[in-house]
Amino acid sequence: MTERTMNITLHVWRQDNPGKPGKFERYEATDISEHSSFLEMLDLVNEGLIKDGKDPFSYDHDCREGVCGMCGMVINGIPHGPQAATTTCQLHMRKFKNGDELWLEPWRAAGFPVIKDLVVDRDAFDRIIQAGGYITSRTGSAPDANGIAIDKKTADAAFDAAACIGCGACVAACPNASAMLFVSAKITHLGLLPQGQPERKDRARKMVAQADAEGFGGCTNHRECEAACPKEIKFANIARLNRDFIGAMIKAPDDVPKPQPVR
Amino acid sequence: MELNSNEPSGPLEERWTKHRDHGKLVNPSNRRNYTVIVVGSGLAGGAGAASLGEMGYNVKCFAFQDSPRRAHSIAAQGGINAAKNYPNDGDSVWRLFYDTLKGGDFRGRESNTWRLAEISNGIIDQCVAQGVPFAREYGGLLANRSFGGAQVSRTFYARGQTGQQLLIGAYQALERQIGAGTVEMHTRSEMLELIIVDGVARGIVTRNLVSGEIEAHVADCVVLATGGYGNVFYLSTNAKGSNCTAAWRAHRQGAAFANPCFTQIHPTCIPQAGEHQSKLTLMSESLRNDGRIWVPKKKEDVTKKPSEIPEEDRYYYLEERYPAFGNLVPRDVASRNAKYVCDDGLGVGPEVAGQRRGVYLDFADAIERLGQKEVEDRYGNLFEMYERITGENPYEVPMRIYPASHYTMGGLWVDYNLMTTIPGLFAAGEANFSDHGANRLGASALMQGLSDGYFVLPFTVGNYLGTVRELPKVELDHPEVKGAMERVTTRIDKLLNAPKPSKTADEFHRELGALIWDKCGMSRNEAGLKEALEKIPEIRERFWEQIKVPGTGEMFNQTLERAGRVADFMELAELLCIDALNREESCGAHFREEHRSEDGKEAKRDDENFQYVAAWEFSGDVSKPTLHKEPLVFERLKPSTRSYK
Ligand SMILES: Cc1cc2nc3c(=O)[nH]c(=O)nc-3n(C[C@H](O)[C@H](O)[C@H](O)COP(=O)(O)OP(=O)(O)OC[C@H]3O[C@@H](n4cnc5c(N)ncnc54)[C@H](O)[C@@H]3O)c2cc1C
Ligand code: SF4
């Protein structure tokens, strides 16, 4: 295994808290191995900053396997960076070249206030799930798991939608900062399954109302979300969401759910 | 300290039912008067908090990530076991119990293991009802696959993302309760201390990771479901944030820590590529079904391209040493042998810290036998992941793999009720020690986390609260509360103000990790352990002298978070080695080189002297813990020897 090394110039968004204005700061990442991951490159720059007694920049991450959904930043204008279907933590430096200049920014959306630097507050996603992104099933009351057969195609399609990691890249990519791809992934996952039918229409109505209350915009078919999504959640899910939502509104137009208070 | 396992007596299969029939209950309308703190929102904590909230208790749940859905459970790939016997291959609760206890090399508690097997089926029902999209057959019924250490297909799975789907199920149930107001969720909130009043666990002290505020939370009891300590080795398959702080703080306050030396090393991980690597990635063990493991026979060949090494110069060491099981020997055997060949200078791949640590996992034969298409169907996503990380195409060149720290069987000692040695403090999931003995079988951790969370805690927490009835109210200005808060602030001050700040937490963690990986990893011996025990206190001393943390405690400060966690690993590492030195036998994942069969290959267990749980009590001096033994009694199964030759 031969090893190529590279020097990269970083412009990192620095912001102390949501109230303060932020700005880009320039850092040099030198002698970076092509085998290192993108986050390892950032770790290294930060280690240098710590040793110099400077405040390292903050970014979220945890599993570093592309599944927890914790990491995410905009790299040269693209949420999660240049590699398709790949989270920030799964990017590797061999995709970059010596001398590259990278601009790193947090997700930008009214629904995701900046906590510090590249870290944002995504509690809004949890509140959208609270509003209706579940199947009510009291612990211990479940019938035998093989009681209902679900054809493989439907189960696989439900799985595809359930693969959403709740990272928020779809919101960051959307010109309207819409959360509809995220919402539609949950609507599709639960709405395809027989267990999810009783609450199906209510679910759509409540989740959409909550997303509106959180300050996420509407979907106007830009499809940027689909391109940015690291888990390849399909844009077509939004059509399903619209069907469930409209169906619910026709049936009971006045029954508008009350969203959770937004902090 | 007295270790009473509080197991019910009578026939194994009736114990759990009997226990529930005779336990105390809390009246539904009275439950909201009790506050239960659950630290952790992984499978154990998330399922537990959701179920307790649904029952009507007033629950406060904590996680250090930004959402409960991000707990490390999310990363589990392979699957979850249950004794459903859907494939009709003769499985039963008895067989699952037997495999788990035997797989654990007879170092687990019989009653707990039985209960786990008994509850397993209900878990699958629960998850399907929540909408977990498990794999299905064309007929629409649930699919199963087989996993290491079992002769039946009992593993349920959701592609390679079983943990993710199970956790999302628990997360959604939890969010429903948060919406309903029964659970108060505290994300980005890290428990740093336990509050004990009159000998009973009554709350926790946390640091709000956004504002830096130190907060006290009081309750009627506390559950720790904070995961394992595999990151003590620095490099592991665990998430970067996984740590031992909550369990360790509880240990320092009196909770016994059991069998810390039982740490599992997974054989098929992507090897380290450089000194600055931050974590290792697991590749599903299923790869060993079709891949052949080898290294060059000659040292001078290790830098050659694998394609340039002729067949007769390849050493298929597992196939040669273990002809019956070949490449499918259990995790610990596969791991140790990889280490041995690399220690002999036959390892391949990049040289890191003076050694090549990697062996080939070759699919050339499989591709020839099955065709590339079939191999792609079976392992396509894994091959893709491998290529993304290494930049090498495993259809063309053999994969390189090396073992990595993966799971910890040791943890807080708990009784049958999952209560630690501190009354009112429970431990669930990977954080406790009870069900897997000295070695965990694949697909059993998810089962245990959900068993503890959905089914055990809801009963045993109620039983405890129903027994103690009314506890005196603890005000936030109680001396014990203030004392615990002070311990936290003092420690943070110390981390921020080391006398000669010059090194980062990661530098210390790497140094510690490399030492214990070498001396207390896959293979251990007296001299090595003693050497580690001399060095660890010295590293720790340097840590407190030189740790450099910029910024303050009153802000979002990830460097400070990390430093605090590394400080606790520094202490746990010592207990790990003390326990490994004490256990003069080889069992499960714990391999002492002095204790093996004449031909050197097989581990030698010593039931006469070591058929016990080693529960360590903090004595005030980290280097001198007190050992308590819980003898293990096997009424149903006679301990037999594990042999894979
Ligand atoms: C890569 C990988 C693959 C695996 N695959 C499988 C598999 O296929 N099958 C299987 O059965 N097992 C598997 N396992 C093991 C299994 O995933 C874990 O053992 C299990 O998920 C642990 O669950 P848990 O609920 O105990 O803890 P975790 O999921 O680790 O959750 C810990 C929780 O505690 C919180 N926490 C920790 N410390 C604090 C603190 N101080 N303050 C506040 N909150 C805190 C965290 O925020 C988190 O919410 C795998 C493990 C790994 C690493
Ligand atoms: S839909 Fe895709 S981009 Fe949006 S949160 Fe889910 S995984 Fe992330």
Side-chain angles (χ1 to χ4, degrees), chain A residues 125 164-170 181-182 229-231 233:
Chain A
F125 269 15
C164 163
I165 57 174
C167 63
C170 45
L181 193 65
F182 167 77
C229 175
K231 296 294 142 183
I233 301 297

Side-chain angles (χ1 to χ4, degrees), chain B residues 160-181:
Chain B
Q161 284 132 272
T162 315
Q164 178 196 31
Q165 294 307 318
L166 296 175
L167 185 62
I168 286 177
Y171 157 75
Q172 288 170 184
L174 178 63
E175 289 297 338
R176 187 168 78 90
Q177 293 309 316
I178 296 169

Side-chain angles (χ1 to χ4, degrees), chain A residues 60 62 126 130 144 186 195, chain B residues 86 128 171-172 175 188 241:
Chain A
D60 267 330
D62 198 21
D126 288 337
Q130 278 161 37
D144 185 82
K186 193 48 53 200
Q195 307 91 299
Chain B
Y86 285 156
V128 167
Y171 157 75
Q172 288 170 184
E175 289 297 338
R188 294 201 195 265

Side-chain angles (χ1 to χ4, degrees), chain A:
Chain A
M1 223 162 104
T2 50
E3 190 178 38
R4 186 164 63 89
T5 61
M6 60 190 91
N7 298 331
I8 304 275
T9 300
L10 301 173
H11 302 272
V12 182
W13 183 259
R14 301 299 311 252
Q15 184 174 348
D16 283 345
N17 58 52
K20 279 204 188 151
K23 63 174 192 309
F24 285 102
E25 292 267 4
R26 183 188 163 119
Y27 304 98
E28 303 298 335
T30 45
D31 278 336
I32 302 298
S33 157
E34 62 169 331
H35 299 306
S36 96
S37 75
F38 184 80
L39 293 186
E40 282 161 7
M41 182 268 296
L42 298 188
D43 292 344
L44 209 64
V45 175
N46 264 346
E47 288 237 356
L49 291 177
I50 297 171
K51 293 203 135 184
D52 292 345
K54 293 184 184 136
D55 180 27
F57 47 87
S58 304
Y59 46 95
D60 267 330
H61 63 88
D62 198 21
C63 76
R64 298 202 174 194
E65 293 192 8
V67 70
C68 76
M70 188 104 179
C71 73
M73 61 186 77
V74 176
I75 304 169
N76 283 355
I78 308 172
H80 287 304
Q83 197 173 349
T86 303
T87 54
T88 306
C89 67
Q90 289 282 286
L91 281 176
H92 279 73
M93 293 313 292
R94 67 182 73 87
K95 294 282 164 191
F96 298 89
K97 47 181 204 308
N98 191 28
D100 272 357
E101 217 164 312
L102 304 178
W103 299 78
L104 311 184
E105 297 171 76
W107 292 165
R108 296 197 192 274
F112 290 157
V114 173
I115 290 177
K116 185 169 185 291
D117 307 331
L118 305 170
V119 175
V120 299
D121 177 342
R122 287 171 290 198
D123 289 356
F125 269 15
D126 288 337
R127 287 190 293 269
I128 292 175
I129 298 296
Q130 278 161 37
Y134 48 75
I135 290 173
T136 300
S137 154
R138 185 173 277 277
T139 306
S141 65
D144 185 82
N146 256 351
I148 327 170
I150 304 174
D151 71 286
K152 187 171 177 343
K153 241 174 103 179
T154 307
D156 285 350
F159 179 95
D160 288 339
C164 163
I165 57 174
C167 63
C170 45
V171 172
C174 177
N176 308 336
S178 169
M180 283 309 136
L181 193 65
F182 167 77
V183 174
S184 73
K186 193 48 53 200
I187 293 289
T188 305
H189 162 204
L190 301 178
L192 279 173
L193 299 170
Q195 307 91 299
Q197 295 315 306
E199 292 161 299
R200 193 174 118 201
K201 302 236 159 113
D202 235 23
R203 181 179 304 127
R205 197 198 339 234
K206 288 177 177 168
M207 290 179 77
V208 169
Q210 188 67 36
D212 289 348
E214 299 288 352
F216 295 113
C219 170
T220 47
N221 294 317
H222 289 273
R223 300 187 76 132
E224 298 287 346
C225 52
E226 188 181 43
C229 175
K231 296 294 142 183
E232 304 183 291
I233 301 297
K234 295 282 167 283
F235 187 74
N237 290 333
I238 297 180
R240 170 180 289 276
L241 164 64
N242 287 337
R243 273 203 307 279
D244 280 5
F245 180 74
I246 292 164
M249 293 315 272
I250 291 172
K251 248 176 98 189
D254 300 328
D255 182 14
V256 180
K258 229 172 78 203
Q260 295 264 331
V262 177
R263 264 189 296 154

Side-chain angles (χ1 to χ4, degrees), chain B residues 159-307:
Chain B
R159 278 188 218 160
Q161 284 132 272
T162 315
Q164 178 196 31
Q165 294 307 318
L166 296 175
L167 185 62
I168 286 177
Y171 157 75
Q172 288 170 184
L174 178 63
E175 289 297 338
R176 187 168 78 90
Q177 293 309 316
I178 296 169
T182 62
V183 179
E184 186 182 291
M185 186 71 214
H186 297 257
T187 55
R188 294 201 195 265
S189 196
E190 182 165 26
M191 168 187 163
L192 295 176
E193 201 47 88
L194 180 70
I195 298 170
I196 299 179
V197 178
D198 300 332
V200 179
R202 293 301 303 276
I204 61 172
V205 178
T206 59
R207 179 166 178 273
N208 177 323
L209 299 182
V210 176
S211 65
E213 212 169 315
I214 305 301
E215 300 163 352
H217 303 268
V218 294
D220 295 288
C221 67
V222 176
V223 178
L224 298 187
T226 47
Y229 52 89
N231 270 349
V232 66
F233 294 103
Y234 184 70
L235 284 177
S236 92
T237 62
N238 288 16
K240 272 302 274 181
S242 297
N243 69 86
C244 72
T245 289
W248 194 253
R249 302 279 103 207
H251 172 62
R252 288 190 68 118
Q253 292 306 308
F257 207 104
N259 298 337
C261 80
F262 291 164
T263 57
Q264 186 170 72
I265 312 292
H266 199 290
T268 50
C269 302
I270 301 178
Q272 193 179 351
E275 312 254 349
H276 291 287
Q277 182 134 350
S278 60
K279 78 154 284 164
L280 296 170
T281 302
L282 175 82
M283 304 281 291
S284 166
E285 225 169 339
S286 60
L287 290 168
R288 288 200 278 143
N289 284 314
D290 287 306
R292 295 183 68 194
I293 295 174
W294 64 275
V295 288
K297 274 188 184 151
K298 304 184 209 145
K299 281 187 192 163
E300 56 272 27
D301 284 354
V302 298
T303 48
K304 277 194 189 156
K305 279 191 186 154
S307 56

Side-chain angles (χ1 to χ4, degrees), chain B residues 40-41 43-44 64-65 72-73 76 78-79 191 406-407 430 443-446:
Chain B
S41 66
L43 289 180
F64 65 76
Q65 293 95 343
H72 167 58
S73 294
M191 168 187 163
H406 176 60
Y407 180 87
E430 194 173 335
S444 289
L446 301 180

Side-chain angles (χ1 to χ4, degrees), chain B residues 323-339:
Chain B
F325 277 75
N327 295 300
L328 289 173
V329 290
R331 288 179 178 179
D332 54 327
V333 181
S335 297
R336 266 196 307 277
N337 280 282
K339 174 180 159 55

